[in-house]
Amino acid sequence: MMTIACPWCGARPENEFHCGGTSHIQRPPLDCSDATWGDYLFVRANPCGLHAERWRHSYGCGQWFNLLRDTGTHEIKAVYAMTAPMPEPAPEAGP
Amino acid sequence: MSGYRLPPPHGAWLDRSQPVRFSFNGQSIEGFAGDTVAAALLAQGLMHIGRSYKLHRPRGIFSCGVEEPTGLLDIGLGPLRTPDTRATDILARDGLVCASGNCWPSLNFDLAAVNQKLAAFLPAGFYYKTFMWPHWHLFEPLIRRLAGLGTAGDGPDPERYDEVSVNTEVLVVGAGLAGMQAAVSAAGAGRQVMLLEADVQPGGWAASQTLRPGSEAAARLAAARCDLARAGVEVQARTTVVALYDHQLATAIESLEGAAAPGRIRERLWKIRARQIILATGSFERPMLFPDNDRPGVMLAGAVERYATHYGVACGERVVISAACDSAYGVAQSLVAAGIEVAAIVERRPERELGGEAQAPHGVPVLHSSVLVGIAGKRAVRGVQVAGVGGGALQAIKADLVASAGGCTPNVSLYSQAGGSLRWLDAESMFVPERLLPGVAVVGACAGVFDLEAALTHAGQVGRSAPGGLMPTAPVGGTGWVPADNQPTLAALSALSTRGGKPGKQFVDLQNDVTASDVELAARENYRSVEHLKRYTTIGMASDQGKTSNINALVLMGKATERRPDQVGSTKFRPPFKPVTINALAGGRSGERYRPLKRLSARDFHHARGALFEEFGGWERPAAYPLPGEGLIAAAERESAEVRRGVGLFDNSPLGKIEVYGPDAAAFLDLMYVGTMSTLAVGSARYGVLLNENGIVMDDGIVARLAPHHFWVNTTSGGVERVASAFEEWLQCEYVDLRVFIVPVTSQWGNVTVAGPNAWRLLDQLGFDAAMAPARMKHMTLRESTYAGQPIRVLRASFNGELGYEINLPASQTETLLARLWEAGQDLEICAYGVEALMIMRIEKGFIHVGADTDGTTLPGDVGLARGVDKKPANFVGRRSLTRPAGKDPERMQLVGLQAVDSRTRLAVGAHLSLRPPPTQAEGWVTSSCFSPALQQPIALAMLKRGTQRIGERLSAWHLGTSIAVEVVKTPFFDPTGERLHG
C-alpha cells in the first residue's frame, strides 16, 4: 500500500485517499461527434509506466491533486496541483 | 516411547517451576511453561500425531517453527477452535484442548488410510484425469471430506482482536544475531528502530547453538540483548511479519494467546510503515530426500538441536543424521553434549568435499558417500537402511530418530513479496536475493550470508546506512559445499532390491503428499514451467507454502528436464507468510462493528413508540411502529392511512443536507442539476435531478435559495456523500474558477417532517410562526425562523402528497420537538410513521425513489423528466450524453403505473413483464409495489419499453414461474390533481 504525500497534509497512507483516474483529460466541446464524446467518457490509455492521475484526500483535507505514478513500481514521481501542467519526470539516477 | 525430557539445566526457554497440563486427542499431556505444544508432545514420547492430507499416512512433528508441514492440530473447542494450526507455533498452556484434524474415527485407526494401499493409483493430476466423467462436481463432496483440512470453529468467535498502526524510521524483521546487530547499529546512528521477532525471545539460530562445544553463542546473545536495551530499540516478540507491501508497509500478527485473563486480546494486527525495512528473517533447513522420509521420527536436524537447547527435549534416544551439508556436524556436537546418542552420520558427500568445520563428535561414525535408502517402522522409526552412493552392501542401523540436514534455504519470502528477484548459488545450492530494493535491505542468513563474522559486519553496515542511501553488498556464502541433488542414487536404491526390498516413496512436499515421482510425472507430461509444476502437483500450495519443499522440487524438476534450478525458476511468494486467522485481519470489525450504522439523535423517542428499526442507506431508522401483534407491512399500511386522515410525524433527519455558498453558487448548481436554480427567488425551492457525466440519474432532491449566494440542497439520505463528493470533484477539477463552498451538514441539522391534513393545525397549536400557515406560505417555499429559541428552516414540501412541513432544526433539538408535537397532537389523530409507510404513500403518488425505480441505465426522460431537459437552454453535467443514439432510442424503458387486473394480487418487485409466457424477451419489470390503503388495492410502478405510449395495455407479470395479468396505468394513482397538498 502506497504512502501518498498530500500537498496539504503530508505523507499519509493510501487508504485515506480516493483515486479519480487519469488526469489532464480535456472535455470536448458539446457539439463534438458521438465517437469523440464516447472516447472522452470511456477510453483510457492504461499505460504500464508513468501515469498522471488525480487523487482526493477524502479522509483528510478533501482536496484533489495530481500524481505522476509509475504503474509498474508504484513509485510516485511528482505531486502537483489540480490546475498545474504535468511536470517533466526527473531523469533516472545514474548507476 | 522415544522422546523424553532432558534433565536441567537443558531447556533455556522453560520455566520448570510452572507445570502446565493440556489435552491432546483426549490424552493428558504434561509440560512446562515455555513449551510449545510440539515440544510437550515430543517430551512425552509422542511421535505420531496426525495423518497426511491425501494418503492418510502417519505423520509426526517435522520442524521446530513456522515452517512445520505436518504437525497440524485443531486447537480449542467449539467457537474457539482454530483448525490446522502448527503445533510448533502454539505455546502449551493449562486447559488447552487440541486434536489431530485429518483422521476418522481415530488417529491410530483411520479408515481413509486405505488410500495408502491405493497410492499407486493416486499420482499427481489423478483427480483431474479420473473424475472428469460425467462431472467433477459429482465426486467433489466425497473427495473433499476424505481430504479433510481440520474442522472450523462453530459459531461466532467470542475472543477479542486488536489492530494498531505505527510509523517508525527503521523496522528490523527478525531478532537473530544479524537482526539485532542491524537494529543496534541503526539505533546507534540516531534512528528510531523497531525490532520484531516471531518467537517468544530473540536469539534466532544462534540460540540453538549454545550446547556446541566452544560455542560463543550464549555470550554473544547476552551481549546483543544488553546492546538492544541500551540502544533503546523497541523489541516486539511473538510478532510475525506476514506481508510486505508497496512503500515499506509491513503487516504483522502478534499472538497474545496464552496471555491469561478472560476478555484478553487474542491476536493483534500491526500495520507498520517504515522509511527503511531491514529483513533478517534467517533461513529454513532443507530436508534430505530418501524413501519413507515422511515417517514420524524423521525430523529436520536443526529442529532436533533446537528442541534440546530451548525446551530440554530429546526427540529420540538414538539418532541417525542424514546429511549433505556441514551444519549437520554442529547438530551432532550439540546432541552429544546433551547426552543424546548419535548412532551415525550418513553423509552423502565424499569425505574430501566436507568443510573444515564438519567435525563429527568423538566416537560418532561418519559414513561418507552414503545415503538412507529405507526406514523401518510405520508410525515410528525403528531403524534405517544405508547404502553407498555407488551401490554395494546394505547396512542396517538401529535408531528411533532420523535428523535430516540437506542445506539451508534463505527465507526470502518477504523480500520476494516486496518485488525482489532471486539468484542461484551453485556451491551452496540456494536462492539468495539478487538485488537491493528501495527501502528494503536484507541481512544475515536470509541474505545468504552464513559466515557469522561476515554477517555481523554486514548487518552493522546496513544498520548504519541512511534510508535510501547506498547499501553494502552482502557477502553471500559460508555454508560450505552443498549438493543440489540429495536423492539416493539409483545405484544406492538397487542395493535395496538385492535384498528383495522395494524403495518407499520419497516425499518432497510432506503436507500435500507430493512425491519425487509426482514431480517426474509432471516433467514427463510437460508441466515443466515452475508455475505449472506447482499447480499440477499442488507442490508448495499447502498452508506451509513449501517452506521446506520448494528447493527440492525445483532441483528435481531441473534434474528431470536437464535444467539448472535457476532455469526452472521459483514461484513468487505472496502474503501471508504464515496462515493468519480471518479475525486477526478483521481486527475486531465484525458483527455490529463490521459497518457501524448511523443512529438518530431521537432514537429513544422512536424506541418508546415501539419502532421497528431497520437499516436504510447506512442509517438505523424506524421502518414502522407496529402495535402489539401487528406485522411490519400491516403497520406501514395503517400508518399511511392515518397520515392521510390526521397528521403524521416522521423523523427525516437522515435526509441529505448540503449548504452551497458563494458568488457563483447559482451558476454552479445550474451546471449540476437538470433544473435551473439561478432563477429561483430567495425563499423558493425547486425539485432537481442530478445526472452523472454519462447522463444517468444519480440523485434527486429539493434545492432552496436562502439568499442570493446561499443555497440549501437536499439529497436522498443514502446519496448525500456521493453528491457532496461529486460537487467537490467538479468544483476542484473542472469548474475551478467558480467561487463556491460545499458544506455537507446532514448530521448537524435534524429534520422533523409533519404531514397530513391536520399538519398546520398541529403547528399552529404549538405556536409556530403564523406566516407558515398554508394560505400564506406556498408549497415549495422555505422560511427561516426561530422556534423555542432555536433557529429553524422550514420547507413546505411533500413526498407523500399531503400538506407537509419539513422542519430543519439543530440535531440536538430533534427529540424535544418530536415529543412536544406528539403530546400536542393527541387530539388531532397524530401518528408516528416509518420509512415503509412513506414508501407506500410515494408509490400512491407515483414519485420515483432513485435506486429503487432507477438503475445504472436510467436517463431523466425514462422517468418522466424529459421536460426539464428540453426546457433548459444551458449546459449541465450529463447533457451531452443524453443525445447519444442510445439516449434517443424510441424503445427505451419508461416509468409507468401497473395494476393487477384482478385488483387483488400484489405484484412482486422484480417481476418481468411480457406479452407471451417465457421464454421470451422481457418488456420491462416491476420496480416498486405495495398495497394501497388509499385505493384499497395493490399498485405498482414499473419500467416498461415505450411505457408511456402503452397506457391501458394488458401484459403478464411473471414471477417465480407464475404469471399475473396486469394493466398499464397512468400515475399518480392517488389525488391526481394534487389538491391534498394544500391541507
Side-chain angles (χ1 to χ4, degrees):
Chain A
M1 186 156 60
M2 297 190 291
T3 301
I4 296 174
C6 170
W8 307 101
C9 309
R12 305 293 306 169
E14 178 187 333
N15 52 5
E16 292 183 8
F17 296 82
H18 164 81
C19 180
T22 305
S23 214
H24 305 294
I25 295 174
Q26 285 298 316
R27 280 186 107 206
L30 297 186
D31 56 4
C32 67
S33 71
D34 284 338
T36 306
W37 188 254
D39 284 353
Y40 157 69
L41 285 178
F42 304 119
V43 179
R44 299 291 180 268
N46 192 24
C48 177
L50 281 186
H51 184 227
E53 54 202 18
R54 69 193 196 198
W55 287 73
R56 182 185 187 217
H57 193 189
S58 313
Y59 298 100
C61 60
Q63 297 301 298
W64 284 90
F65 56 90
N66 284 316
L67 281 189
L68 199 56
R69 179 176 68 98
D70 188 317
T71 57
T73 63
H74 293 308
E75 202 182 335
I76 295 171
K77 304 277 190 184
V79 177
Y80 57 103
M82 209 53 241
T83 49
M86 190 167 111
E88 291 291 318
E92 293 292 323
Chain B
M1 189 76 175
S2 52
Y4 59 95
R5 188 77 72 174
L6 295 164
H10 295 301
W13 287 13
L14 283 191
D15 179 356
R16 292 199 194 229
S17 69
Q18 274 196 60
V20 297
R21 187 193 292 265
F22 63 95
S23 125
F24 165 70
N25 287 344
Q27 182 183 349
S28 175
I29 306 290
E30 283 162 32
F32 296 109
D35 264 331
T36 60
V37 166
L41 291 174
L42 286 166
Q44 201 124 332
L46 287 166
M47 268 299 174
H48 171 206
I49 69 154
R51 291 274 177 173
S52 73
Y53 170 66
K54 183 165 119 183
L55 300 175
H56 287 250
R57 284 169 69 105
R59 290 285 161 80
I61 289 157
F62 188 66
S63 74
C64 188
V66 68
E67 69 269 40
E68 179 62 29
T70 51
L72 303 178
L73 301 176
D74 289 359
I75 307 277
L77 280 178
L80 297 172
R81 186 167 49 228
T82 309
D84 287 319
T85 306
R86 295 150 307 285
T88 52
D89 203 18
I90 291 283
L91 290 182
R93 62 174 191 269
D94 268 330
L96 186 80
V97 177
C98 55
S100 314
N102 191 25
C103 52
W104 187 85
S106 77
L107 178 62
N108 284 325
F109 178 69
D110 177 11
L111 274 180
V114 68
N115 280 8
Q116 290 174 55
K117 308 278 182 217
L118 305 174
F121 307 105
L122 293 168
F126 163 73
Y127 298 110
Y128 304 137
K129 290 170 184 166
T130 311
F131 296 112
M132 291 299 291
W133 187 89
H135 203 275
W136 157 248
H137 290 136
L138 226 58
F139 305 100
E140 190 182 351
L142 177 70
I143 291 170
R144 291 235 182 271
R145 191 155 61 241
L146 282 177
L149 285 162
T151 311
D154 40 30
D157 186 344
E159 292 191 288
R160 292 178 58 211
Y161 299 82
D162 187 27
E163 178 185 322
V164 287
S165 293
V166 294
N167 278 281
T168 184
E169 272 180 272
V170 180
L171 170 67
V172 183
V173 183
L177 281 178
M180 288 196 271
Q181 179 68 54
V184 167
S185 301
R191 281 186 274 277
Q192 176 200 12
V193 184
M194 191 171 184
L195 172 61
L196 300 186
E197 168 55 45
D199 226 321
V200 293
Q201 288 186 40
W205 194 24
S208 48
Q209 296 181 5
T210 50
L211 285 174
R212 295 186 183 182
S215 162
E216 295 170 8
R220 278 181 187 274
L221 281 172
R225 286 186 195 200
C226 267
D227 291 345
L228 278 180
R230 213 170 25 231
V233 173
E234 182 186 352
V235 183
Q236 190 69 51
R238 294 190 75 185
T239 307
T240 308
V241 175
V242 291
L244 206 53
Y245 299 99
D246 297 316
H247 294 196
Q248 295 103 267
L249 171 72
T251 56
I253 304 286
E254 179 183 5
S255 171
L256 299 147
E257 206 131 25
R264 70 186 191 277
I265 290 165
R266 184 183 176 200
E267 287 179 296
R268 179 177 289 136
L269 174 67
W270 289 76
K271 294 182 178 173
I272 307 158
R273 285 180 181 277
R275 289 191 61 204
Q276 171 83 47
I277 293 181
I278 300 175
L279 299 176
T281 48
S283 68
F284 297 121
E285 194 160 29
R286 179 182 157 202
M288 299 289 288
L289 296 178
F290 50 84
D292 291 328
N293 58 343
D294 66 323
R295 293 301 186 206
V298 178
M299 296 177 70
L300 292 174
V304 175
E305 184 181 31
R306 199 171 169 85
Y307 281 113
T309 54
H310 289 46
Y311 309 105
V313 172
C315 298
E317 289 169 347
R318 197 173 142 85
V319 185
V320 165
I321 299 179
S322 168
C325 62
D326 294 352
S327 69
Y329 295 82
V331 172
Q333 299 278 6
S334 286
L335 298 186
V336 169
I340 302 167
E341 184 186 355
V342 178
I345 299 175
V346 181
E347 170 62 75
R348 195 184 193 284
R349 301 172 295 174
E351 189 170 8
R352 64 174 189 280
E353 284 171 355
L354 269 59
E357 286 174 25
Q359 296 294 327
H362 182 69
V364 172
V366 181
L367 312 175
H368 294 106
S369 301
S370 299
V371 286
L372 264 55
V373 291
I375 299 280
K378 279 200 166 64
R379 288 179 200 158
V381 172
R382 293 198 316 271
V384 298
Q385 289 168 306
V386 179
V389 167
L394 208 57
Q395 185 181 348
I397 303 173
K398 206 168 156 298
D400 61 357
L401 188 78
V402 177
S404 173
C408 292
T409 303
N411 174 13
V412 292
S413 177
L414 294 175
Y415 166 81
S416 170
Q417 284 183 28
S421 50
L422 304 173
R423 73 186 163 103
W424 176 255
L425 300 184
D426 258 331
E428 292 83 2
S429 291
M430 61 190 183
F431 279 109
V432 297
E434 184 174 41
R435 63 193 169 92
L436 294 168
L437 300 169
V440 180
V442 193
V443 301
C446 78
V449 186
F450 284 85
D451 179 87
L452 183 58
E453 296 309 323
L456 292 178
T457 309
H458 174 244
Q461 288 166 347
V462 169
R464 277 187 296 277
S465 305
L470 212 57
M471 292 288 164
T473 313
V476 296
T479 61
W481 186 71
V482 180
D485 176 13
N486 65 30
Q487 268 191 305
T489 53
L490 288 176
L493 290 174
S494 63
L496 197 66
S497 56
T498 57
R499 293 263 193 94
K502 198 167 156 264
K505 288 176 169 300
Q506 300 171 31
F507 283 85
V508 184
D509 184 328
L510 291 176
Q511 196 175 0
N512 265 356
D513 275 345
V514 183
T515 63
S517 59
D518 289 329
V519 177
E520 286 152 16
L521 178 73
R524 266 203 314 282
E525 299 191 346
N526 210 28
Y527 292 98
R528 295 155 51 107
S529 141
V530 63
E531 300 291 349
H532 287 158
L533 166 68
K534 171 177 163 179
R535 284 157 185 85
Y536 191 60
T537 62
T538 71
I539 204 156
M541 285 171 72
S543 64
D544 66 340
Q545 293 282 294
K547 291 179 175 61
T548 54
S549 62
N550 281 342
I551 300 300
N552 279 339
L554 297 175
V555 168
L556 284 176
M557 177 51 88
K559 195 171 146 189
T561 56
E562 296 178 341
R563 289 179 296 169
R564 288 154 32 113
D566 53 334
Q567 291 170 318
V568 177
S570 67
T571 54
K572 186 173 164 58
F573 291 89
R574 292 194 174 84
F577 167 67
K578 75 166 187 178
V580 173
T581 63
I582 292 287
N583 268 334
L585 294 178
R589 276 184 237 96
S590 58
E592 277 191 351
R593 282 183 292 176
Y594 174 63
R595 195 167 75 98
L597 295 180
K598 287 176 260 195
R599 285 188 168 179
L600 297 169
S601 66
R603 191 170 183 275
D604 291 348
F605 170 86
H606 302 300
H607 193 70
R609 308 272 97 67
L612 179 70
F613 287 98
E614 281 185 12
E615 192 223 317
F616 297 92
W619 286 82
E620 182 201 59
R621 305 182 70 171
Y625 303 80
L627 300 173
E630 193 179 39
L632 170 67
I633 302 295
E637 287 168 1
R638 171 183 53 75
E639 289 164 14
S640 77
E642 284 173 1
V643 171
R644 298 218 190 275
R645 193 167 57 235
V647 59
L649 275 187
F650 181 64
D651 189 341
N652 203 9
S653 299
L655 182 74
K657 307 171 202 80
I658 302 172
E659 295 203 31
V660 178
Y661 187 87
D664 299 318
F668 174 70
L669 291 174
D670 278 356
L671 282 166
M672 295 296 107
Y673 280 91
V674 174
T676 307
M677 302 305 172
S678 55
T679 55
L680 270 176
V682 170
S684 287
R686 188 166 285 159
Y687 173 76
V689 175
L690 283 162
L691 310 184
N692 63 21
E693 184 77 315
N694 207 2
I696 306 300
V697 174
M698 174 189 151
D699 205 86
D700 67 349
I702 290 170
V703 178
R705 195 166 204 165
L706 294 167
H709 294 172
H710 193 182
F711 288 83
W712 175 258
V713 173
N714 285 153
T715 70
T716 61
S717 50
V720 61
E721 281 158 37
R722 197 166 57 232
V723 171
S725 33
F727 282 180
E728 281 290 350
E729 185 167 6
W730 283 111
L731 261 183
Q732 292 184 35
C733 303
E734 187 70 30
Y735 302 114
V736 292
D737 295 332
L738 296 182
R739 294 158 300 169
V740 180
F741 282 124
I742 306 295
V743 188
V745 291
T746 303
S747 49
Q748 281 74 19
W749 289 84
N751 180 310
V752 175
T753 295
V754 182
N758 291 338
W760 172 245
R761 226 162 295 161
L762 174 61
L763 296 182
D764 194 27
Q765 271 188 24
L766 278 178
F768 275 78
D769 190 345
M772 293 179 193
R776 294 173 61 188
M777 182 179 174
K778 280 198 204 143
H779 181 57
M780 295 301 269
T781 58
L782 181 139
R783 179 170 286 275
E784 290 189 90
S785 182
T786 59
Y787 179 74
Q790 300 291 338
I792 56 172
R793 288 173 177 174
V794 180
L795 175 69
R796 238 200 92 188
S798 177
F799 193 42
N800 57 19
E802 301 296 323
L803 170 64
Y805 292 89
E806 295 186 359
I807 305 164
N808 297 286
L809 73 172
S812 59
Q813 303 301 313
T814 317
E815 182 144 25
T816 312
L817 181 61
L818 281 167
R820 290 180 79 157
L821 289 164
W822 180 257
E823 205 178 307
Q826 290 310 308
D827 305 334
L828 296 170
E829 294 187 79
I830 194 165
C831 81
Y833 66 99
V835 175
E836 293 298 339
L838 181 67
M839 285 297 133
I840 290 174
M841 290 187 280
R842 69 98 193 162
I843 297 170
E844 288 175 334
K845 288 298 293 175
F847 293 145
I848 60 159
H849 182 211
V850 173
D853 300 302
T854 70
D855 61 21
T857 66
T858 309
L859 304 181
D862 304 345
V863 287
L865 299 166
R867 235 182 97 231
V869 177
D870 298 338
K871 258 172 54 181
K872 184 168 177 174
N875 182 29
F876 56 87
V877 167
R879 166 152 236 163
R880 175 62 185 83
S881 292
L882 301 178
T883 60
R884 284 178 296 170
K888 294 186 287 194
D889 183 356
E891 298 284 294
R892 287 196 70 83
M893 299 284 169
Q894 290 172 323
L895 187 75
V896 292
L898 286 184
Q899 276 177 329
V901 170
D902 66 6
S903 298
R904 280 201 324 270
T905 315
R906 204 181 135 169
L907 303 178
V909 171
H912 280 204
L913 305 173
S914 67
L915 293 165
R916 285 180 302 280
T920 180
Q921 209 172 8
E923 306 259 316
W925 58 88
V926 177
T927 59
S928 296
S929 169
C930 68
F931 175 83
S932 163
L935 280 76
Q936 284 298 307
Q937 64 159 303
I939 54 171
L941 298 175
M943 293 300 284
L944 178 65
K945 230 178 237 183
R946 301 184 312 281
T948 52
Q949 297 163 44
R950 299 170 75 172
I951 306 298
E953 194 176 320
R954 288 195 172 184
L955 294 157
S956 296
W958 292 87
H959 179 64
L960 301 178
T962 61
S963 86
I964 297 159
V966 295
E967 186 175 323
V968 183
V969 298
K970 270 194 166 153
T971 61
F973 295 93
F974 179 67
D975 185 26
T977 53
E979 282 167 24
R980 301 182 64 89
L981 278 177
H982 310 297

